[in-house]
Amino acid sequence: MSDEKKYWELLNEFEPLDDARFKGKREAVSSPTSRRNFLKVLGLGATSAALVASCKSPVEKAIPYFIKPDEITPGKAVYYASSYFNQNEFCNVIVKVRDNRPIKLEPNPKSVITPYGTSGRVQASVMDVYNVNRYRSPVRNDETIVWDEADNEIITQLKELSGSGRTVVLITPTIISPSTKKLIGEFTQSFNAEWHQYDPIPMDGYREANRRSFGTEELPEYHFENADCIVSVGCDFLGTWLSPVEFTSQYSSRRALFEENPGLNKHYQIEAGMSLTGTNADTRIRADRAEYGKILVHLYNQLGSQNGATQIEATPPPQEVTEKLKNVINDLQANRGRSIVVCGDNNPDYQVIVNSINQMLGNIGETIQFNRTYNHFRGNENWLEALLDQNLGAVIVWDTNPVYSHPMSDQIRAAIERAPLSVAITAQPDETSELCKYKLPAPGYLECWDDAEYKKGVVSVLQPTLHKLFNSRQAQEVLLTWMANPLSWQDYIRENWTSVYFTEQAANASSSDFWIETLRNGELVLNNTAASVSYNESATAGALQTAASEQASEGFTLELTEGIHTGTGHGPLNPWLQECPDPVTRIAWGNYASIAPAAARRLSIKNGDVIQLGNLQIPAFVQPGQADSTISIALGYGRTTGVAEEIRTGVNAYPLSRVESNYRRLTVPNLNIEPTGQTELLALIQGHQSMEGRAIVRDATYEEWKENPAAGNEMHEEIQKHHTTLYPKTIYPGHKWGMAIDLNTCTGCSACVLACNTENNIPVVGKIEASRHHEMQWIRIDRYYKGDENNPEVLRQPVMCQHCDQAPCENVCPVAATNQSSEGLNQMVYNRCIGTRYCNNNCPYKVRRFNWLDYTGADAIPNNRFDPANVTVDLSRMRHNPDVTVRAKGVIEKCSFCIQRIQEKKLDAKLEGRPMEDGELQTACQQACPANAIVFGDLNDPESRVSKLMKNPRNYHLLEELHTLPAVGYLTKIKNKS
Amino acid sequence: MRSIIYGHFTDELDLLNAVKELQNKGIKIDDVRTPFPVHGLDSVLKLPRSRLPIAAFIAGAIGGSLGLLFQIWVFTRGWPLVIGGKPFLSLPSFIPVTFELTVLFAAFAMVILFLVRSNLGPGSLPDILDEEVTNDHFQIILTDRNNSASEAELEEALASTGALGVKNIKTDN
Amino acid sequence: MEKHNIPDAVPFKFTKKIKTALGIAAGIGLVALLWAVFISQAPASRIWANLWMNAIMFLFLGLGALFFWTVNALGESTWQINIQRILESMALTIPFALILFVVAFPGLTHIFEWTHTEHLDRILQMKTAYLNIPFWMLRLAIYFIFWSFFAIYLRRVSLKNDFEPQDNYLRRVRSTSGWFMVFFAISSSMAAWDWLMSIDAHWFSTLYGWYIFSSMFVAALAVIIIIAIAFKHFGILPNINNEHLHDLGKYLFGFSIFWAYLWISQFLLIWYSNIPEETVYYVERVTHFRSLFYLNVAINFLFPFLALMTRKSKRQPVILGSIAVLVLMGHYLDLYMAIMPGAVGHENAKIGLLEIGLPFFYLAAFLAIFFVMFQKAKPVPENHPYFIESSDYENL
Amino acid sequence: MMHVSPVREPLINGEKSYNDITNDVMAPVRAKPGKLWYIGITVSTIVMIFGFAMIGYTVWFGIGKWGVNRTIGWGWSITNFVWWVGIGHAGTFISAILLLFRQKWRTSINRAAEAMTIFAVMCAGIFPLIHMGRLPLGFFILPYPNSRELWVNFNSPLLWDVFAITTYLLVSLLFWYMGLIPDLGTIRDRMKTLWKKKAYNFLSFGWKGSARHWHRHESMSLILAGLAAPLVLSVHTIVSFDFATSVIPGWHTTIFPPYFVSGAVFSGFAMVLTLMIVTRKALHLEEYITVGHVESMNKVIIATGSIVGIAYITELFMAWYSGVEYERYAFLNRALGPYAWAYWIMMTCNVISPQLLWFKKLRRNLTFTFILSIFINIGMWFERFVIVVTSLHRDYLPSSWTMYKPTWVEVAIYLGTFGLFFTLFFLFIRVFPVIALSEVKSVARSSAKKFIGKPIKNKTPEK
């Protein structure tokens, strides 16, 4: 047996280690038992949630309306423009509100930042609003109090403390809201408070480097769409870095390879751990995390020699890396002014080198511009000093959780406990808020008024789409109250806008029109004031010196990365995010230490073996492509407070991060691995990594494509030619729906998966069920490795129901619960399904999902609900899309091509007496895709985009040799290999 | 009121001979009862071939056609559905059910007819003259109603074939 | 042993009259062949395919009889002892079939696509390890050697018993039959793949071997029935009675259903999944040979099924005999459907003088060998331990 | 009387008179059950009840309590289903097909084998029902008229199964019971207690042994056999269609119908042997179920086992020959993949071990036969496991490949069906004669030791 073969076996079929854990006793949910009850409670829930914010009159019953409010039509959704912001993710969104409940977030096509596509976290965020663990009213220590009491006590103490010279510290995450900033300014003045912004994964090192290189702390905007050559040193710009949704759109626009758009960019990724971006790279160069500095110096030296910069003495990176870097250097040099070099390390020295390389290549002002600079990531480590100071009087923690996310957790805890006054203003309990004396409940962002200036000169608004569910108050409202400002927060924002932005525009004459117009659009774009920066080379030498003199790491280097779904620690609260498998490892529910196959073999570590790393115990996962001496762990896991017991997963790795010369460092050198002998369950959704040489994801190189646009897909024509059939052709007289998926633009970000979850009421099954392969997602993103285990090529493929014209599943259902619609949809009739799972067995794509247990509470049998994530309690059920049936235990479900959307748009067109337009109808996955990889439409219309894509030489159907005639087409993956 | 004269043998070959002997004497045999089907007895007794197979064939044909027609009706008239791209009239798919219904109808019709024709069934009370008939007695039953000969002559004739335990009883039916 | 009143068999004479009749039949066949070659200028593939088809049919009759003989021996069956010499003589035609195969060898390239080694596609290249001329020939030789050996050896054992009853006769026959059965089980399927399935070289079906076996067996049964009725009629085997015909009729009835069962199993499964690599076989036949395709099922299943359902028809020589003739022609058609669409193609495949005439030659040859063989031995194996049982039994 | 050649082995040993036969066979019905019987029925009833409780548990909480998953939708449930149905085939094969082939040795074993058929089919029938996610709505599978004019899918092999299994159970029951009524009459006439007499009379439908009845009965039995023979073929054929109609490599193969039938008979005979070797001993029926019977059954086993073996090899070869990469992989994976152990258990038990039966000594060795029959039972279970699980666990898209491991719930349900089977079997041997009395008597004359080779006394002339 060859080594390669062995390797795939090592990774094969992760066996659930501990089936005994699966006790299945989850009847904790004390709620309705029958379907009738379910409906009743749904109604009640809606009532108790009161109604939309703008709805003035109290309404007694949800449906039917006795007196119908103007803006609500039962069964018809209302859409509001708003925005989502969390850490590094910002999206202008449209909130879909049905029967007064926000149920879905969609991209705002008018936005200049994110006109299409969202991230997965945005999609899942609707669940946060209905989270059962939220604070429901103000709490003093453990005692529930009323707002007035809290206000009075806090104001008194604040005045007292600031009067007595003790410091008042307000810690917030980065605030991008101009109005809030103004308000906080007023607050700090009136209470003599210090305001600090804190980012768990900060970018203050970048800002410092820019200050040194360009004399400005601004974070520039990157134009990946203009870059012909992208070189990323450990920077996950498609997954977690700076503004991934935006970057994905930009990047993918250069991957959509058609005759009219033939310029494929070239992407090099030099990295240690396998990142989402790395898996998409044309060439991925594997290098240890400890080599990044040397690599940057090497790049600088080599490029500098061609661009007249001074060389510096430095040991070059290992031979195998330098060998591969030659191409990188040549390509960068060849694409001066049309390339981007980025590095994903918060070390200011590294960033200074990156800046000088970009300067050297003439990229500054071209692909990297300081016009619409980013406003987020303003956090730094300065707050620590103030907090740990003995003079600390009051600490107000606003929706931030340093106790969890900072390595000096213990000192912070002590400081907060010591402080005479500690107040937490947050929606959901967290490790920090629980320490505070006062816990003031804040609403979720869908219940809030706010504004946001994510990028300079692009200001968005947030408006509530739901009456506050609990007795909560926005932090801004709290501050207003404390300052005794009589304005409501909404009016405050409006006044601020009138004074600041109204004058900047000319389209609306009256300020109220302007306000309404802004709310309608969700975004105001101010004139672009081109900023000029002056480059200063002098900082570079020092940075190069520091980087070149870095000590090599002994043993392993640990690299902490942001979890693509969990973010900085917000994700674990959201069961959808936890259940969505990581796009690289395909593991859901929890983190793990990724180690290289060679290292794993050397240390006899297998998937799930718990290892000791510093003082951390964490299960190991053998990750192909991982650098030999680097271990990668995702941050954001291991939350304990505010997360239901059952869904507490993973390990908090923040304590291993460090602060070095006042910058957070997410690497730890000189670590050793100790196997503990224990094992832990990993919910590995995809057990097999190799395509086994099958033509599942068809790929070719850019060169081949230029020769022949059908490169890699030659067999398509061959197979079509040999298609014989014993059946007559089925006629689809009206529409014939179809979908085309561009494998070249898809990055695997999983926004589609989460959008589908939200749109189609897909249940959450929890870690143990997921590990038993009982996951329910209707769309999955298959990931295959190809080639060398040390640095495999990665191919991805989103797979949902293929809606075959000759579907094997339909044939075998004994009760005809699944059949073909007259529009070419493979229909699934839940009511009729008796759950034989025969269809699923006979589905060659394995896209059918079975309700193994009563995940939703829709089952007729009482006391059997299985809901580890508490997502089917009355509150959480309010997020359900009422157009989609909640499936009962024992039925099969699967992708419906969002039939509810099809019907809605068809009806709209019919009422308006016009034919449907191409593109008018979008499926949820398509809508959420920031890469524009999914196109849906009518195959009977030869002019539709999807029809044209189906005729593209790159198009093929999955397993087309079986003659199932899928309605989904895939466009080949084209890599720009050198 | 009639007389029933019966006697038995312990060997089926003796029975066959006795039957032939009695028939040669022109005596009509009312019934022969045996513990198992004796080969050759039906031809000696000149029992007509059973028509149960014909009944089975007819019932099977009915069952099969009903099944086939029903399936055709459902898929082409009742509610035609496109299933896996198959034609509505997907005849090969109809074969199994048609076949099963053929067999089911044939088997049931035949068994029911057998029971009705033989007057057997749950609760049927047989006229058992000798309990050993179901063990090892091969019994010949004569009745004066079928024969012109007298009771005594019948008894005599039966005894002369070597029948054992010849008895004569009177019955109303 | 007590004497049973079993009529004595009359030794058979291969008379001149029969020889003349066979000569005429052979002549018809030759004329048909010559006409096709020289006058109608039929395409070469059609002529070679016909020679191939008839050779296989010729072999099948003998091989089917050998199978019937051995399977009865293994099942300790008795009723067929009276016709055993018919089976033996039919089985002895097997070695002669090799000559007919050899006659068709020059045309193999016209019949088998995979012999064109210079332009094979991807799939066919993968099969060359199995589908190549030397290995194919080797297998063919092995099949013939073993089949001929078993036929000749069993015959010898059987004849020996005629002169001096052997104590171990039954045991020897049974164990030889057992070995034959093991070999036959594998070789019959493989021969079907080699000689028939590989004509449609891309296509495959796991059932194919058994399907061809059933067709072969029914064809052989039909010939056995025809000969048995004829021999009974002409007094050669007077102790063939209605019970024997009834049993033969049941076999024909049952195995016609069995054939139909395999036919529908194969068709239904391929029709149901509709995967191109499999449907290609049926698409060709259903599109271009539509009427023959359905006629095949009608002749080989519907007719014998309906006609032989009653007890009477099975015991009635005229009905049974005519159904047997029909079924024999039906399985000739079945073989035609297996070979022609792939080997000749729908453009050239026809049912003309060649297809109707040529079988007469092969039939005459078959019968000639059969008669010679039958003549050589006693018409019934009198010393067979079950001989009396065979003459004395009844059907219900 | 038909002549029986002197070289034949007697079907009944001992100098048995008809009365002896009656008494020997009826003994278990008459006698008070022994201690072993009580232990047996208690154990099997407890196991059965536990199994049913686990079925209830599954229905209540969902199929998720089993080890099946998104890739392997059918695990033990359908494996067990096919296994039990297969076992059921022996009874019908013995009583119908052997009747058509005039194999007289069937008479001693057909009654018990048919009873086993019915019990096995009952056990089998449980699985397709409980494997449904929504058992309470299982009636949807029946084509009953309803207000929505919705009918079932006649294209679905699972629906064919509904018809096939129901028909099979009903027709087998008819066939078995019609054969039983003369024997129930015999028991009735031997019973001394009035209520028992009445009960058995009720059960025997008032049988009195009239020649006319026998005449019709024989004719009916023959036609029922004629119907049951293709029926038994059709049942496992349709069960094989469950797999063979699909597009899954390893499932979709045309040889499945005859191969499944053959495998069914193979496993069924093994089960008959397992049961009969014990039963003949326990009920002292050694002279009726002789070593000769065992040898005959062993011959059927080797025949069907070899057919199964050839089918395995054909499948393997054809997977290679097809040139289809999925087919090739599926079979390679069977033999060498993670479930190779199951494949080799199957191969060893089903193909290799029965080859030992070529030796006459072993064919006639009861201990060996008993052990072998257990091997075959295991092997045939694994055959179905291999087909169901290894084909599914790695099908077309490697991304979806998984492994399958049963949970204790599945195991308990399987054991529960054993409980059901043996409970019924224990009741059966107490209430009904395990050997077809009248049929044995009808061959006793010609095939019992003392008559063999004797001349024909009177020959019926040709009509």
Side-chain angles (χ1 to χ4, degrees), chain B residues 37-161:
Chain B
V38 175
H39 272 281
L41 186 60
D42 32 5
S43 57
V44 174
L45 288 173
K46 299 187 181 61
L47 295 175
R49 285 201 74 79
S50 167
R51 281 166 301 172
L52 283 173
I54 299 166
F57 176 78
I58 293 169
I62 291 172
S65 338
L66 280 181
L68 185 61
L69 290 174
F70 176 66
Q71 293 179 78
I72 292 172
W73 177 81
V74 164
F75 269 24
T76 58
R77 297 269 178 275
W79 193 340
L81 286 172
V82 178
I83 290 167
K86 289 193 167 27
F88 294 135
L89 187 68
S90 50
L91 279 173
S93 287
F94 300 160
I95 293 171
V97 172
T98 309
F99 172 79
E100 299 300 333
L101 288 178
T102 310
V103 171
L104 191 69
F105 272 63
F108 267 84
M110 190 167 53
V111 168
I112 290 167
L113 276 175
F114 162 73
L115 295 175
V116 170
R117 193 76 180 76
S118 309
N119 201 17
L120 294 173
S124 162
L125 293 171
D127 48 335
I128 292 163
L129 302 170
D130 177 359
E131 288 201 335
E132 295 306 310
V133 157
T134 51
N135 179 16
D136 59 355
H137 283 186
F138 299 82
Q139 187 184 37
I140 293 181
I141 300 172
L142 308 172
T143 167
D144 59 347
R145 194 170 293 177
N146 286 348
N147 285 296
S148 50
S150 70
E151 287 175 40
E153 279 167 343
L154 291 173
E155 246 174 275
E156 154 82 48
L158 190 53
S160 71
T161 60

Side-chain angles (χ1 to χ4, degrees), chain C residues 75-113:
Chain C
E76 296 183 27
S77 167
T78 54
W79 65 274
Q80 85 298 348
I81 307 297
N82 264 311
I83 57 163
Q84 182 169 312
R85 286 284 137 93
I86 298 179
L87 307 180
E88 290 174 11
S89 309
M90 281 172 75
L92 288 171
T93 61
I94 293 173
F96 298 92
L98 183 59
I99 299 167
L100 302 173
F101 271 64
V102 171
V103 167
F105 277 173
L108 290 186
T109 49
H110 292 284
I111 301 167
F112 294 102
E113 186 192 348

Side-chain angles (χ1 to χ4, degrees), chain D residues 331-342:
Chain D
F331 282 88
L332 222 62
N333 182 48
R334 273 189 190 178
L336 305 170
Y339 285 112
W341 53 271

Side-chain angles (χ1 to χ4, degrees), chain C residues 1-2 4-5 74-79 114 122-123 126-131 170-171 174 178-179 181-182 185-186 189 193 197-198 200-208 210 241-243 247 250-251 255 257-258 261-262 264-275 277-278 311 315 385-386 388-389 391-396, chain D residues 1-9 99-104 153-157 160 218-219 222 230 233-234 236-237 240-241 243-248 252-259 261-262 296 299 306-308 310-311 313-325 327-328 355 358 360 396 455-456 459-460 462-463:
Chain C
M1 185 176 285
E2 191 181 327
H4 298 282
N5 47 352
L74 285 173
E76 296 183 27
S77 167
T78 54
W79 65 274
W114 54 264
R122 194 177 59 88
I123 298 273
M126 286 200 263
K127 300 186 183 191
T128 47
Y130 185 77
L131 293 180
L170 275 182
R171 196 158 3 118
R174 268 184 221 147
W179 286 113
M181 210 45 82
V182 171
I186 298 163
S189 280
W193 304 336
M197 196 169 85
S198 76
D200 296 85
H202 289 89
W203 184 75
F204 59 93
S205 165
T206 41
L207 184 56
Y208 195 76
W210 294 359
N241 57 34
N242 281 353
E243 303 302 333
D247 275 332
K250 280 197 272 189
Y251 261 100
F255 277 86
I257 295 173
F258 182 68
Y261 163 68
L262 296 182
I264 196 68
S265 292
Q266 182 167 289
F267 177 71
L268 188 144
L269 291 177
I270 288 173
W271 172 85
Y272 198 103
S273 301
N274 204 29
I275 300 175
E277 68 213 15
E278 296 180 332
R311 175 186 165 91
R315 300 172 79 90
Y386 296 157
I388 303 169
E389 281 188 42
S391 301
D392 173 42
Y393 76 102
E394 257 181 87
N395 278 289
L396 272 175
Chain D
M1 283 301 106
M2 283 190 258
H3 175 79
V4 173
S5 174
V7 296
R8 286 200 190 262
E9 189 180 343
L99 172 71
L100 295 179
F101 280 103
R102 290 200 296 268
Q103 297 287 337
K104 286 183 196 159
N153 179 10
F154 289 107
N155 282 316
S156 167
W160 305 342
E218 276 200 290
S219 175
L222 190 71
L233 246 66
S234 82
H236 230 59
T237 295
S240 83
F241 283 169
F243 307 107
T245 53
S246 75
V247 295
I248 304 299
H252 178 61
T253 172
T254 50
I255 206 169
F256 261 24
Y259 144 53
V261 173
S262 180
S296 296
K299 282 181 182 167
S306 301
I307 293 176
V308 167
I310 284 169
I313 295 162
T314 304
E315 275 190 311
L316 268 178
F317 172 77
M318 217 43 91
W320 174 84
Y321 178 86
S322 70
V324 178
E325 57 183 323
E327 291 280 337
R328 286 183 168 193
Q355 301 307 321
W358 287 105
K360 193 179 174 105
Y396 286 101
I456 304 167
K459 191 173 139 31
T460 42
E462 182 70 28
K463 289 177 289 269

